[in-house]
């Protein structure tokens, strides 16, 4: 799977309000109520690359207990993407592109 292909594909709840955000400098959109993790993985095949092995990562525990889903905001704030809801105008950096 190419890192440019989304890992997640919506099959339901497509009628929620769109939420615009920026992902690694590119405009993107999620749906109201999505976590940051969902918002990213509906655009990409991976969340980030492991800092040691450089292997692609897409979250692990999905409940905020591990250290696998951290992303950064443009201002340098770290967020657990699985436990943070997307907000309009968020500017996220993942380092997760291929």
């Amino acid at each position: 799977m190419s890192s440019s292909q989304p890992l997640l594909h919506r099959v339901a709840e497509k009628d929620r309000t769109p939420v615009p955000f920026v992902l690694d400098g590119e405009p993107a959109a999620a749906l109201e109520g999505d976590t940051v993790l969902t918002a990213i993985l509906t655009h990409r095949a991976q969340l980030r690359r492991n800092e040691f092995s450089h292997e692609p990562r897409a979250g692990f525990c999905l409940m905020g207990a591990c250290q696998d889903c951290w992303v950064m905001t443009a201002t340098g704030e770290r967020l657990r993407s699985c436990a943070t809801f997307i907000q309009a105008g968020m500017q996220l950096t993942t380092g997760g592109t291929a």
Side-chain angles (χ1 to χ4, degrees):
M1 171 182 287
S2 164
S3 65
S4 63
Q5 294 177 321
L7 181 65
L8 302 179
H9 300 277
R10 280 190 204 283
V11 296
E13 295 191 69
K14 297 178 184 182
D15 60 347
R16 289 183 281 142
T17 303
V19 178
F21 69 102
V22 177
L23 179 57
D24 292 327
E26 298 291 323
L31 295 181
E32 187 175 78
D34 283 352
T35 63
V36 169
L37 181 64
T38 299
I40 292 171
L41 293 180
T42 56
H43 290 276
R44 302 251 173 91
Q46 65 191 43
L47 177 65
R48 63 180 188 87
R49 290 200 172 269
N50 180 282
E51 56 274 8
F52 303 108
S53 69
H54 304 290
E55 292 294 316
R57 303 300 296 171
F60 181 71
C61 76
L62 306 179
M63 62 181 201
C66 73
Q67 303 294 311
D68 204 51
C69 71
W70 290 107
V71 296
M72 303 283 285
T73 66
T75 60
E77 179 185 7
R78 285 178 19 131
L79 303 175
R80 284 188 195 262
S81 64
C82 73
T84 303
F85 290 102
I86 195 76
Q87 295 178 13
M90 277 184 155
Q91 295 186 29
L92 304 170
T93 58
T94 65
T97 55

